[in-house]
Amino acid sequence: MKKIFIIAASALLLAACGGNKNEKASGENADSCAQALTAELDQALAGEQPDGKEVEELVKRGQDAVQELMAKGDSAAARAYADRLNAYVQANIEKIKAAAPNAGDLLEEVAEKGKQAVDEAKEHAEDAKEEAKDRVEAAAAEAKEEAKAAAEQKAAEAEGAVKAKVNDAVNKGFDRLNNALRQ
């Protein structure tokens, strides 16, 4: 009965891991999901005769969860999940290998997926940095062009005003000349 409750609780926690857009919250959810999985692993490894098949299934489930998070593009959550599992594995490697010799390969794959998540996150950060730099440069160029166009427009307006005043002065001069000639 206790195992059923733990499995149900961990299934609920694993279901809560999906679809989260907030990277920090997503990483925390993944960490709590991994914590639930490690609790199940503790349960499976307890006693004198650990259940090797159950340990292998739990390790496989952990690997699947990391792959699912990476497929969703949530590398932060995948990293948090893999980090939690790796820490647990490092602390309990001998028990795991004794209970389920095949679990070692799966654990190595989980560790590799965690490293891939870190590399992917770094790559995304570099891409975002370059994209931001390009946007800033484009905005600066656009602002420069707008300032140049505004300055040219002001210069044209000023030139038009000067021409209008010159024409007014010339017209007044001609009017005075005509008035002087009529007298």
Side-chain angles (χ1 to χ4, degrees), residues 141-164:
E142 185 178 327
K144 182 179 176 181
E145 288 298 317
E146 287 176 4
K148 183 179 176 182
E152 288 174 354
Q153 182 179 0
K154 289 287 185 185
E157 289 173 3
E159 184 180 348
V162 168
K163 284 182 181 178

Side-chain angles (χ1 to χ4, degrees), residues 1-65:
M1 187 69 173
K2 187 176 181 182
K3 278 187 176 182
I4 292 173
F5 176 74
I6 290 174
I7 290 172
S10 66
L12 252 172
L13 285 172
L14 285 174
C17 290
N20 202 335
K21 299 294 180 207
N22 181 337
E23 280 195 20
K24 183 176 181 187
S26 181
E28 291 170 358
N29 272 348
D31 189 54
S32 65
C33 292
Q35 192 172 8
L37 184 67
T38 59
E40 286 185 70
L41 279 166
D42 277 338
Q43 187 74 22
L45 292 170
E48 292 180 28
Q49 295 262 320
D51 185 355
K53 185 172 177 137
E54 185 179 0
V55 171
E56 285 182 20
E57 287 174 9
L58 291 171
V59 170
K60 178 73 172 134
R61 198 166 77 197
Q63 179 188 25
D64 292 344

Side-chain angles (χ1 to χ4, degrees), residues 40-153:
E40 286 185 70
L41 279 166
D42 277 338
Q43 187 74 22
L45 292 170
E48 292 180 28
Q49 295 262 320
D51 185 355
K53 185 172 177 137
E54 185 179 0
V55 171
E56 285 182 20
E57 287 174 9
L58 291 171
V59 170
K60 178 73 172 134
R61 198 166 77 197
Q63 179 188 25
D64 292 344
V66 170
Q67 287 176 341
E68 181 180 330
L69 289 168
M70 287 182 64
K72 288 181 181 178
D74 196 350
S75 57
R79 179 181 179 191
Y81 199 99
D83 285 349
R84 172 64 86 157
L85 287 179
N86 286 337
Y88 178 83
V89 167
Q90 294 303 320
N92 297 288
I93 192 71
E94 295 306 317
K95 287 182 187 177
I96 293 171
K97 284 183 179 179
N102 295 335
D105 295 337
L106 292 175
L107 292 172
E108 288 176 16
E109 287 180 40
V110 170
E112 182 61 33
K113 293 294 181 185
K115 289 176 187 174
Q116 287 176 356
V118 170
D119 293 342
E120 189 176 301
K122 286 178 183 176
E123 186 177 309
H124 287 299
E126 287 296 321
D127 292 345
K129 178 181 169 184
E130 287 298 318
E131 186 177 320
K133 180 181 174 185
D134 292 344
R135 285 183 185 171
V136 167
E137 288 174 353
E142 185 178 327
K144 182 179 176 181
E145 288 298 317
E146 287 176 4
K148 183 179 176 182
E152 288 174 354
Q153 182 179 0

